[in-house]
Every structure is written in structure tokens, then in C-alpha cells.
Amino acid sequence: YGPEPFGSYLVPSWVGELILSYTVDKFTFALDSQLGMSMPDEDYYGAGPHYHYYGFALYGKVALEDGWGIALRLEEVVDHDSYLLVGAGTDLIGYEFREATLTIENQLTPNVLARLEGRLDMDVMDGTNVPAYAGGEESQITATGSMVFSF
């Protein structure tokens, strides 16, 4: 037994994504769907399984007066093979990630956008919330403020 050849721990994978959006007046709606899969090298890894995950996000935004906007995003990622958790030191199988984000934004100048976001994260396994967060909590709430500069 000796050191593994360079790159032997890498598993080739691909991700396909489809984004559909529709805007009418001050409203924007979007659907983002994603499918990912690993494709192990059968010469090195043998004829093992191809792990996969899929996810989707629904997005709605309304533009308010004077450069203000409010948006809601709902996301779900289904990872029954725990492909996304590889390297995280877990053996959880049948995992789903759920997230809801509420964003309030203001276009301060043509090149500067200010955002305040509140986010709720939940992890689900076999239909039950998993205590995957600090202190054994089944969900996590975070708030962030950011500035986006465009040039």
C-alpha cells in the first residue's frame, strides 16, 4: 500500500441546470431546476453506482417604488445518495435540504444595490427534520446584509 496517484480521489461529475423566468410589470417569477450526477471511472473505481441529486428553486420578486424590491426564494435539494455530503464525514442517506429566503433590496445608485436577507434552513431525512445545526437544532435562521457593486 502506498500513496494514491494524483487525482485518484476525484470523481468526474456533471450538473445540468434549467432556468425559466417571466417578468410582467413589476413582478418577476423564476424556476431554477438542477440535476447532478457523479460518473466514476470504472477502470479505477470498478462498476460502482452513479450517485445523483436534484433540486429546484421557486423565486418571486416585486419591484416597489423608488428602487425598492422584495423577493422570496424557496429551494429544495434532494440528495438521496448523500452525494453532496461526500467528504463531510457523514453516512446520512436520504437527505433533503430545504431553504426559504426573504430579501429586501434598494438600488442606491445605478451601480450599487443594498440587500438585507433573512434565511431559514432545514435538513430533512426520511420525512423528518434532522437536528443538523448548532445545539442540536432542527433549523437555522440567518440574516445578512450586503452591497453589490457593478462596474
Side-chain angles (χ1 to χ4, degrees), residues 7-118:
S8 64
Y9 58 90
L10 300 176
V11 176
S13 57
W14 62 267
V15 175
E17 186 168 26
L18 173 67
I19 300 172
L20 302 172
S21 66
Y22 179 72
T23 301
V24 58
D25 295 326
K26 296 181 177 189
F27 298 94
T28 300
F29 304 95
L31 169 67
D32 181 353
S33 58
Q34 191 176 92
L35 174 65
M37 179 182 287
S38 68
M39 299 179 295
D41 180 353
E42 291 185 13
D43 292 334
Y44 185 81
Y45 293 98
H50 291 190
Y51 299 109
H52 70 282
Y53 72 93
Y54 61 91
F56 61 89
L58 299 173
Y59 172 86
K61 178 181 175 183
V62 60
L64 304 173
E65 300 299 320
D66 299 326
W68 287 90
I70 188 166
L72 177 65
R73 184 177 69 242
L74 304 172
E75 295 183 63
E76 172 134 2
V77 174
V78 179
D79 184 19
H80 290 291
D81 300 320
S82 293
Y83 173 68
L84 296 174
L85 296 174
V86 170
T90 182
D91 58 357
L92 297 175
I93 301 295
Y95 223 64
E96 298 177 29
F97 307 93
R98 295 183 181 158
E99 176 258 311
T101 302
L102 181 65
T103 303
I104 300 170
E105 62 184 31
N106 183 263
Q107 190 75 46
L108 299 175
T109 72
N111 295 20
V112 180
L113 177 67
R115 287 186 175 156
L116 180 61
E117 292 188 337

